[in-house]
Amino acid sequence: MARRTRQNILDVAGNLFGHRGFDAVSLDQIAAEVGVAKQTLLYWFASKDELIQEVLSETAIELTLVIEAAIRSAPDDPLDRMEAVVKAVFRPAVRRPSLLGLVREISRLPSESSERLTDSLRPLVERAVSWMRTEMDAGRLRRADPALIVALAYATVTGIATEPEALRVVGWNADIVGLRRLRDELIGFLRAALAPVSD
Amino acid sequence: MARRTRQNILDVAGNLFGHRGFDAVSLDQIAAEVGVAKQTLLYWFASKDELIQEVLSETAIELTLVIEAAIRSAPDDPLDRMEAVVKAVFRPAVRRPSLLGLVREISRLPSESSERLTDSLRPLVERAVSWMRTEMDAGRLRRADPALIVALAYATVTGIATEPEALRVVGWNADIVGLRRLRDELIGFLRAALAPVSD
DNA sequence: GCCTTTCTCTACCATTTGGTAGAGAAAGGT
DNA sequence: ACCTTTCTCTACCAAATGGTAGAGAAAGGC
């Protein structure tokens, strides 16, 4: 029955890690927020490292599934397709803003588990890159370096996820504007930057 | 003479904080890397909080100066001008990659000092926004929401700064590609997305 | 009813954390 | 030579950290 406890721990830990960072969050805090003793955490997860590892791989799986589903049912036009994928990435993030902040924590893991996660995302990235290259060759996207575009998009998304607080520095108020509008501006940006040049 | 110690501490702390995050770095680690006892840190800075606060305001001042200098001597064409500013932002970051990572830490400060920093950056941001609006009204930039563009650019830059490791997830190898090429791609992107529509 | 597995608890521990107290060099002004 | 200021040290501390040991509920199979 109390298998739900495990899921609760994963959810709470995911939010806290994504929000404040791995090192800033203690097991005691997580336990308190779940409403459970610290030992219960350590019953379910052997260590703090294993906990975040589990959280991250759950997140990676979720994101992968969402993106793949979006690709399968996406329209054929490359710009529409990109819009669909970006929206798919944002959908879970809008619902649970701390989610993307987690990706940042990958680099703080012991290199071994960090690599395992990177590997699980790699196929998706490679697919995106080779797809963009094909579209560019066909003249349906403006020519550019696809790998760098993916890197930039990724940087932007994680930058947004870094914290609403951080964006407040540039006058962005999350409560008023909302992640959704920022997402739409990003999409408009991508469309403008990647539309094929009409010659 | 040993005022240099203070600067050494600031430099080392800046790198470590930007690289690993505020909570992940202990005073002992900083002291060890500077080659000095922990108490020496606490002689120069009353607490860890004051230390990062000092590091951040130094960074904010540096960035502000660099950007303002770039604006003063920038060409008149809005796209060239944007390119000049982006390059100015990247110049110190290329030299010292951990620098921009620091901005991320702002949101983890006690809200009071976080606000002080935000305030020191605000004029620059407002200036950029109003400048963009003017250029858009004059038809020299594609119409969009300037505040959101600044937010996106900021998010992208901090996303890049988040860690080369994190970008490795999307296949970006810092050693080979380099921050400089990513910067140039970003500039090309901005140009394409913000060029006025020729009607 | 009993036993085994699953689950959560209280109590404890070694280490590390940010920070204090206060002594002693180094150096410069006079 | 002496004093003051600047600078760095050793020694210590209370609190918090990740983690261990082991006991006791809960619940299901038989």
Side-chain angles (χ1 to χ4, degrees), chain A residues 28-76:
Chain A
D28 288 287
Q29 285 168 41
I30 299 171
E33 187 151 327
V34 178
V36 99
K38 183 172 62 169
Q39 270 44 46
T40 305
L41 300 199
L42 289 162
Y43 170 77
W44 288 106
F45 307 93
S47 67
K48 196 185 178 186
D49 273 324
E50 192 188 303
L51 174 56
I52 194 176
Q53 213 171 302
E54 214 68 24
V55 168
L56 281 172
S57 81
E58 203 196 27
T59 307
I61 289 169
E62 183 181 350
L63 276 177
T64 305
L65 288 179
V66 162
I67 292 173
E68 278 179 346
I71 291 176
R72 262 198 307 281
S73 62
D76 200 57

Side-chain angles (χ1 to χ4, degrees), chain A residues 13-156:
Chain A
N15 280 334
L16 289 177
F17 286 148
H19 198 66
R20 300 195 216 141
F22 181 68
D23 297 284
V25 177
S26 73
L27 293 182
D28 288 287
Q29 285 168 41
I30 299 171
E33 187 151 327
V34 178
V36 99
K38 183 172 62 169
Q39 270 44 46
T40 305
L41 300 199
L42 289 162
Y43 170 77
W44 288 106
F45 307 93
S47 67
K48 196 185 178 186
D49 273 324
E50 192 188 303
L51 174 56
I52 194 176
Q53 213 171 302
E54 214 68 24
V55 168
L56 281 172
S57 81
E58 203 196 27
T59 307
I61 289 169
E62 183 181 350
L63 276 177
T64 305
L65 288 179
V66 162
I67 292 173
E68 278 179 346
I71 291 176
R72 262 198 307 281
S73 62
D76 200 57
D77 174 76
L79 292 176
D80 293 343
R81 215 177 173 79
M82 284 188 36
E83 170 161 353
V85 170
V86 171
K87 281 187 174 164
V89 171
F90 269 81
R91 202 168 301 128
V94 167
R95 213 181 56 238
R96 188 147 61 93
S98 69
L99 194 148
L100 287 170
L102 276 175
V103 186
R104 231 184 342 163
E105 301 303 314
I106 292 181
S107 60
R108 294 188 183 152
L109 289 177
S111 64
E112 183 209 340
S113 21
S114 149
E115 264 163 41
R116 232 186 34 172
L117 271 166
T118 306
D119 287 347
S120 82
L121 287 178
R122 205 187 310 276
L124 213 53
V125 172
E126 273 166 12
R127 199 163 141 195
V129 168
S130 81
W131 170 77
M132 283 178 76
R133 207 181 312 270
T134 311
E135 295 291 327
M136 283 171 184
D137 288 344
R140 312 209 310 161
L141 280 181
R142 185 194 299 261
R143 187 158 291 286
D145 183 334
L148 286 178
I149 289 183
V150 171
L152 276 180
Y154 179 86
T156 306

Side-chain angles (χ1 to χ4, degrees), chain B residues 90-104:
Chain B
F90 269 82
R91 202 167 302 126
V94 167
R95 213 182 56 237
R96 188 147 60 92
S98 70
L99 193 149
L100 286 170
L102 276 175
V103 185
R104 228 184 345 163

